Amino acid sequence: MTIISKFGIGVLIAVATAATAQQTVWGQCGGIGWTGPSTCVSGSYCAPGNPYYSQCLPGSGPATSTVTTTSRTTTTTASITTSVSTTTTPTSTGKVQFAGVNIAGFDFGMVTSGTQDLSQIVDESVDGVTQMKHFVNDDTFNIFRLPTGWQYLVNNALGGQLDATKFGQYDKLVQGCLSTGAHCIVDIHNYARWNGAIIGQGGPTDAQFVDLWTQLATKYKANSRIVFGVMNEPHDLNITTWAATVQKVVTAIRNAGATSQMILLPGTDYTSAANFVENGSGAALAAVVNPDGSTHNLIFDVHKYLDSDNSGTHSECVTNNVDAFSSLATWLRSVGRQALLSETGGGNVQSCATYMCQQLDFLNANSDVYLGWTSWSAGGFQASWNYILTEVPNGNTDQYLVQQCFVPKWKS
């Protein structure tokens, strides 16, 4: 009665319209808190994905209420590393293919200007490997992201060769990762910059960046479980010019002999999943192709945190990001492509457990376009630092958020 007296009969009409409207294919049709259409247009049906999200899928639906999902344990390396073509509609299995953690340390001292203080590096070639063994053996995670600064790898010599000592230490971390049987993301963590200047846009030349990746690809070309993370969180740059730079890197990696591995393509605005389409990153990077003209194993790299400003600097979480990932999923399906969430995280508090579990439920329900995630972060964060997003295990005991969400949503 109060609603009618305040807003009038128009509210009743709007409610009636919402109740009778039908959702389009791939749109949301149910879930906790959902007030939109609950039926789907002809030729599709409302499929429950999790308590928070149901989705209109093409077809008439399963013959019975029993839904059969593909077991994660039967996935082979060949199927994991195969991406959809641009002409095939992906099919959700109800479970992402990859789950894991960032192992930070070799990126320490790096700031968003692309400047790195090498004195802050924490060598994770021992402790990081120990952590990864725990995450694989106890939590069954199968992918790790290994961030490092460009400056560290070449000992501050722009355009130079990989430094035998410093790259040697980083490679110990990579080899330790590979020894667990997991996929390992080699991530250049420079924000598309070197000492404040943008790569290919007034800073390091494309040729210098390509040379770095040619060296790395040559080093790791023989291992199909290496994933090449072109760049961490580009920002404040010309996306069309950046996409041209990324194209040169992709071509160089493939021409170096690394033809079977996934390559992660990052957009601008810190490659935020919420802005990936609207800021032009999607369209620009969708044009990046392999030397044979295909987009095979070219995966979009996105990030999304759950705090108030998407910075990952607050202990409390305020969103499950379903709106952002839903919008991006619709676009990914429209172009027949996939993405990997290589950074996400929250504090070890209940608000983050609640929202993160909902986010992971959504990714699992949309595993046709989301390959998986690596959370932030384990690695070199010392207990005395009280880092709010720490995922460093205490021996074989996981942090609260890992226990509450990352492990159960992967193992379930």
Side-chain angles (χ1 to χ4, degrees):
M1 296 298 292
T2 303
I3 292 177
I4 295 176
S5 62
K6 184 175 181 180
F7 297 106
I9 193 67
V11 170
L12 294 181
I13 295 173
V15 170
T17 300
T20 59
Q22 290 186 309
Q23 183 59 277
T24 57
V25 177
W26 305 119
Q28 185 173 359
C29 56
I32 296 173
W34 174 247
T35 58
S38 59
T39 60
C40 304
V41 296
S42 178
S44 62
Y45 68 102
C46 189
N50 58 68
Y52 304 94
Y53 192 84
S54 297
Q55 184 173 46
C56 290
L57 299 179
S60 58
T64 69
S65 60
T66 301
V67 177
T68 301
T69 59
T70 301
S71 171
R72 172 175 54 81
T73 58
T74 62
T75 303
T76 65
T77 299
S79 63
I80 284 175
T81 58
T82 299
S83 67
V84 298
S85 71
T86 55
T87 59
T88 303
T89 301
T91 301
S92 176
T93 63
K95 179 72 69 173
V96 295
Q97 296 181 38
F98 295 107
V101 185
N102 280 261
I103 304 296
F106 289 109
D107 58 310
F108 284 2
M110 181 68 68
V111 293
T112 58
S113 66
T115 300
Q116 185 175 33
D117 178 357
L118 298 186
S119 70
Q120 296 186 39
I121 292 292
V122 174
D123 183 348
E124 280 300 290
S125 59
V126 176
D127 289 345
V129 174
T130 299
Q131 292 176 27
M132 287 187 284
K133 288 179 179 178
H134 154 69
F135 286 127
V136 170
N137 294 335
D138 297 340
D139 299 332
T140 73
F141 289 163
N142 65 352
I143 190 169
F144 298 98
R145 184 169 180 254
L146 312 175
T148 182
W150 185 358
Q151 286 93 331
Y152 179 77
L153 294 183
V154 296
N155 197 20
N156 267 327
L158 178 62
Q161 296 297 298
L162 296 171
D163 182 77
T165 300
K166 289 181 166 54
F167 172 72
Q169 290 303 109
Y170 177 73
D171 184 54
K172 288 181 182 178
L173 181 67
V174 176
Q175 298 303 325
C177 176
L178 291 170
S179 73
T180 69
H183 278 64
C184 309
I185 304 172
V186 175
D187 162 53
I188 303 301
H189 214 77
N190 277 66
Y191 304 91
R193 286 159 166 77
W194 175 288
N195 294 349
I198 302 171
I199 300 168
Q201 301 181 39
T205 64
D206 284 350
Q208 289 171 321
F209 191 43
V210 164
D211 181 65
L212 171 70
W213 272 113
T214 298
Q215 293 182 63
L216 290 169
T218 300
K219 170 69 178 179
Y220 296 120
K221 65 183 180 181
N223 198 304
S224 63
R225 286 185 287 108
I226 289 290
V227 180
F228 298 110
V230 171
M231 178 57 61
N232 174 72
E233 297 189 348
H235 63 91
D236 298 292
L237 45 69
N238 182 297
I239 186 58
T240 303
T241 305
W242 171 245
T245 299
V246 173
Q247 176 64 78
K248 293 176 183 178
V249 170
V250 167
T251 300
I253 290 173
R254 297 305 191 211
N255 286 344
T259 58
S260 66
Q261 295 90 342
M262 288 188 291
I263 302 177
L264 304 184
L265 313 180
T268 190
D269 288 347
Y270 300 90
T271 203
S272 170
N275 304 327
F276 197 81
V277 176
E278 67 182 35
N279 66 25
S281 295
L285 293 171
V288 174
V289 296
N290 293 309
D292 64 2
S294 74
T295 57
H296 179 68
N297 278 342
L298 301 183
I299 309 300
F300 298 123
D301 188 4
V302 297
H303 292 179
K304 197 72 179 75
Y305 286 92
L306 292 79
D307 54 358
S308 58
D309 59 0
N310 189 40
S311 65
T313 60
H314 304 90
S315 60
E316 297 290 339
C317 296
V318 300
T319 177
N320 59 19
N321 291 322
V322 166
D323 286 346
F325 284 114
S326 178
S327 177
L328 179 56
T330 298
W331 179 81
L332 288 167
R333 291 188 182 100
S334 75
V335 295
R337 300 292 292 274
Q338 294 174 309
L340 188 140
L341 177 62
S342 66
E343 271 193 39
T344 190
N348 290 296
V349 296
Q350 185 55 50
S351 66
C352 292
T354 298
Y355 286 123
M356 182 63 75
C357 286
Q358 293 172 10
Q359 175 177 287
L360 298 184
D361 279 338
F362 183 86
L363 296 181
N364 280 335
N366 291 268
S367 59
D368 57 322
V369 290
Y370 293 116
L371 288 177
W373 44 265
T374 52
S375 56
W376 188 272
S377 175
F381 299 100
Q382 307 301 310
S384 60
W385 296 358
N386 295 317
Y387 179 52
I388 58 174
L389 266 60
T390 185
E391 295 181 9
V392 176
N394 180 13
N396 291 329
T397 302
D398 285 316
Q399 295 286 342
Y400 178 78
L401 189 60
V402 177
Q403 291 183 34
Q404 294 297 307
C405 281
F406 291 120
V407 171
K409 294 303 178 182
W410 170 241
K411 283 187 171 182
S412 62

